Amino acid sequence: MPASLQRTRLTADEYANGILSADRVVLSKAITLVESKLPGDNAIAESLIEKILPHTGNAMRIGITGVPGVGKSTFIEAFGLYLISLSKSVAVLTIDPSSQRTQGSILGDKTRMESLSNHPKAFVRPSSTGNTLGGVNTRTRETMLLCEAFGFDVVIIETVGVGQSETTLRGIVDFFLLLMLAGAGDELQGIKRGIMEMADAIAINKADGDNVRMTELARREYQNALHLFPPSESGWVPEVVTCSSLHNEGMEKIFNIILKQDKHMRDVGYFNENRKHQNLNWMFETVNHHLQSDFYNHPKIKSQLVQLQQQVESGEVAAITAAHHLMKIFKEIKY
Ligand code: GDP
């Protein structure tokens, strides 16, 4: 990167040119920009996204979820390196929605996906997500687009499978992989049926050592359970496989399922439909995001909110009355 670009904030053109010429330093800075909450940054980010948009859409977008400890980072490391062995470049965005792992990730960041992080054909970026419910938001999508414009063949987005994040993640990616363990009930794993229904494939991880038989049993059980779900609109029937991320086993099998699903989706015309639909959602989510942020950050709202909150809590004012009052103030604000 030229010395003139060393200062922290670049122009939208400088960001775009840097990304399109595959400058990693600029990519990192651009992601920070997109994640920024400063109004000045928002305008540059928006302009940047517009500039790079024509260069997006060509990556394979894969979402991966599963409860903490299931082996997500071990899997992504093994899978990412497998993809690299096929001459593909890989970007990994990891989303940590809760403070649950914040402490761990200080240590974990060093050890998580170490070989992949250090590989010149990979880019691993933990995402700071603010306080959005579930952690995945429109910024995740925008970050993904930056990685696509940069030229990565595959973008993997990882989230912890315990919250709302899966639904949002499903709305960003083309393929959604759920990692599970054998021998722990769904309840135990905190995986809701709805999440299983969203999955394009389930991989039962840790199929090694004494665990091989158990994982095979679990695989059959899950495959049977999935047959009981109503068929998906696209006609894709999710597949259940076993893998051992620790021993790099099952990576090819999983990639083949992804390729098969991709072909199926394109053949039935669902691939483009899905992306169009996702794009439209992006617009609505952005509008919602701006509305919320304009609303809650407005000084007139802020000044009333604390008191009203207390009054609603104490039962002095009805929740709906308080809401109407706030909306009335908001509508009277002149922009
Ligand atoms: P995450 O919290 O879902 O990202 O899980 P990690 O990737 O950090 O893995 C949690 C633990 O499970 C670590 O101790 C890993 O070494 C172990 N682990 C992950 N994958 C496998 C596997 O395939 N087999 C075995 N035996 N252990 C695994």
Side-chain angles (χ1 to χ4, degrees):
M1 187 168 64
S4 62
L5 299 187
Q6 292 293 334
R7 63 180 197 277
T8 349
R9 204 188 280 176
L10 313 179
T11 64
D13 275 322
E14 285 169 335
Y15 280 116
N17 293 338
I19 288 173
L20 296 176
S21 57
D23 184 327
R24 277 164 185 265
V25 179
V26 176
L27 175 64
S28 286
K29 286 187 174 196
I31 295 176
T32 308
L33 173 87
V34 160
E35 288 174 349
S36 163
K37 289 198 174 67
L38 300 173
D41 286 345
N42 276 347
I44 305 174
E46 223 173 273
S47 159
L48 165 63
I49 298 293
E50 259 175 46
K51 286 180 197 297
I52 55 110
L53 212 53
H55 306 275
T56 63
N58 296 322
M60 238 177 194
R61 304 169 175 175
I62 303 173
I64 293 181
T65 197
V67 294
V70 70
K72 290 181 296 301
S73 50
T74 314
F75 174 83
I76 293 170
E77 166 126 315
F79 188 63
L81 291 171
Y82 169 74
L83 292 175
I84 288 172
S85 78
L86 302 179
S87 299
K88 299 198 181 298
S89 56
V90 186
V92 179
L93 310 174
T94 64
I95 313 219
D96 194 344
S98 59
S99 54
Q100 174 185 15
R101 219 164 52 183
T102 319
Q103 294 258 286
S105 53
I106 296 165
L107 182 91
D109 274 351
K110 268 206 201 133
T111 48
R112 283 189 115 227
M113 307 176 205
E114 208 178 352
S115 315
L116 194 62
S117 303
N118 292 326
H119 201 289
K121 292 200 79 173
F123 175 80
V124 179
R125 167 87 181 206
S127 187
S128 86
T129 56
N131 51 11
T132 315
L133 188 66
V136 182
N137 53 32
T138 51
R139 277 137 199 222
T140 311
R141 187 187 167 90
E142 286 153 20
T143 303
M144 174 185 78
L145 295 177
L146 296 179
C147 293
E148 280 192 1
F150 183 95
F152 285 104
D153 300 313
V154 182
V155 181
I156 295 175
I157 308 178
E158 176 213 1
T159 181
V160 182
V162 285
Q164 294 283 310
S165 47
E166 294 71 34
T167 319
T168 324
L169 181 56
R170 188 69 197 92
I172 293 177
V173 296
D174 305 315
F175 190 94
F176 191 59
L177 176 68
L178 172 62
L179 288 185
M180 294 192 86
L181 295 173
D186 304 350
E187 302 297 326
L188 251 178
Q189 295 193 48
I191 294 292
K192 303 208 168 56
R193 185 195 146 121
I195 297 177
M196 278 180 65
E197 266 176 300
M198 282 189 296
D200 293 300
I202 295 178
I204 321 278
N205 192 32
K206 308 197 185 182
D208 43 54
D210 295 343
N211 210 21
V212 173
R213 208 180 59 86
M214 288 283 279
T215 45
E216 179 50 29
L217 275 177
R219 189 192 69 74
R220 279 187 223 155
E221 266 174 38
Y222 283 121
Q223 190 75 71
N224 288 338
L226 286 180
H227 280 306
L228 301 176
F229 288 173
S232 67
E233 224 178 286
S234 67
W236 171 252
V237 182
E239 297 198 14
V240 189
V241 291
T242 61
C243 67
S244 169
S245 308
L246 203 58
H247 299 285
N248 296 317
E249 282 165 18
M251 301 304 132
E252 186 180 358
K253 197 166 51 178
I254 291 169
F255 188 54
N256 283 337
I257 294 175
I258 297 174
L259 292 177
K260 190 170 143 193
Q261 185 259 15
D262 183 76
K263 183 174 181 316
H264 171 88
M265 293 301 191
R266 288 176 197 269
D267 287 352
V268 296
Y270 200 82
F271 185 88
N272 282 334
E273 271 312 298
N274 190 36
R275 283 206 171 174
K276 265 194 243 165
H277 182 73
Q278 291 182 338
N279 203 25
L280 207 56
N281 267 349
W282 182 24
M283 178 183 82
F284 287 118
E285 278 166 26
T286 307
V287 169
N288 289 346
H289 171 77
H290 283 298
L291 276 178
Q292 278 206 11
S293 119
D294 283 356
F295 184 87
Y296 288 108
N297 290 324
H298 198 282
K300 283 191 177 164
I301 298 291
K302 272 186 171 169
S303 69
Q304 296 274 316
L305 200 58
V306 178
Q307 196 194 355
L308 273 173
Q309 221 168 323
Q310 284 165 355
Q311 288 173 325
V312 170
E313 263 171 8
S314 67
E316 210 177 312
V317 176
I320 194 160
T321 313
H324 282 145
H325 180 64
L326 288 170
M327 288 313 300
K328 191 163 175 283
I329 296 173
F330 190 60
K331 282 180 191 161
E332 281 165 7
I333 293 168
K334 300 267 178 293
Y335 283 96

